[in-house]
Amino acid sequence: MAESKPVIFAAMGGNLAIAVTKFVAAAMTGSSAMLSEGIHSVVDTGNQILLLLGMQRAKRPPSEQFPFGHGKEIYFWSFVVALLIFAVGSGVSLYEGVVHIMHPEPIESPLINYIVLGLGILFEGASWAFALNQFRKTKGKWSYLEAVHRGKDPSMFVVVFEDSAALLGLLVALAGIGLSQWTGLAVFDGIASVIIGLILGGTAIWLAMETKGLLIGEAANRHVVDDIRQLAHDAEGIEQVNEVLTMHMGPDFVLVNLSVRFSRDARAERIERTIVALDRQIKQRHAAVKRIFVEAEARAGVDEREDPSGPDSSSGEMPAPAG
């Protein structure tokens, strides 16, 4: 998550600066689209603060009440960001747009709006380019959509989404004000505000869908699960791998639960060596894996009383050593 902090600070600074100028321009010209853009910038600034709050709270160490830490805080606050974009940004923009469509008012001093929108496009464009460049570095070989879908750190792609929506909204506002001035029909300004609201609503819904799975408890990516399964299958003394259950407890914290069947002749010391070696191998290959639990499954039809010391006589969890 550390690499996403500069992106968030850059976006927050740009949004805060341009929000003030948008509100001043909206007050001077009476533009609905400009007012919607000002609200949009304020919401974006608040969202970046919430993302930073989530990242900070996610660093808190494990406790008795939260034994696996607080990594999911970033998922919760990212979901709150999506709700705010939808409820505040989209809702207010749609309302302002409908009001100005029903009761259109002429825009005064449109030149002020053009200047502010031009500065907004400049600032938002710079923030968007910086965020996209950082996102490109972290996405690897995946496509952009695939990286968003598979990514486990929402703090990065949330900023990219917000900046993309902001840039598109500025272009729509520019078109709305330009059409209003060109045609003399103030209704185009209200229509632009409605379109901005729809853009924000669509962005919010997509963000909510992407963060929902992480908040509930999304598994690690398929290639990670498959590799862990193969490592367990190749481990000495393991005869069969039944289940590989994973969950992201945070962007950099994967919990792994393995259900395996040890060979019939395996004894306690051999099982312990296998678990220690497997724990080390998995964590070396996948740095995000922090906790591993191994569950030994009993053979079907084996009576527990036949060999109480053998690993196949019972089914129980054996946590891999911490570290």
Side-chain angles (χ1 to χ4, degrees), residues 112-190:
I112 295 176
N113 282 329
Y114 292 138
I115 294 173
V116 172
L117 288 173
L119 290 174
I121 291 172
L122 181 64
F123 286 125
E124 292 287 3
S127 175
W128 176 80
F130 182 61
L132 191 65
N133 184 55
Q134 291 296 109
F135 186 56
R136 187 184 294 116
K137 292 178 181 178
T138 61
K139 76 181 184 66
K141 296 180 180 179
W142 293 335
S143 67
Y144 287 101
L145 291 179
E146 191 177 18
V148 170
H149 183 64
R150 294 189 179 187
K152 308 302 180 182
D153 183 1
S155 59
M156 182 66 75
F157 63 73
V158 164
V159 176
V160 175
F161 273 46
E162 283 186 343
D163 286 348
S164 299
L167 201 54
L168 188 57
L170 285 167
L171 295 175
V172 170
L174 185 63
I177 293 171
L179 284 172
S180 294
Q181 184 183 12
W182 183 49
T183 63
L185 300 175
V187 70
F188 282 111
D189 184 48

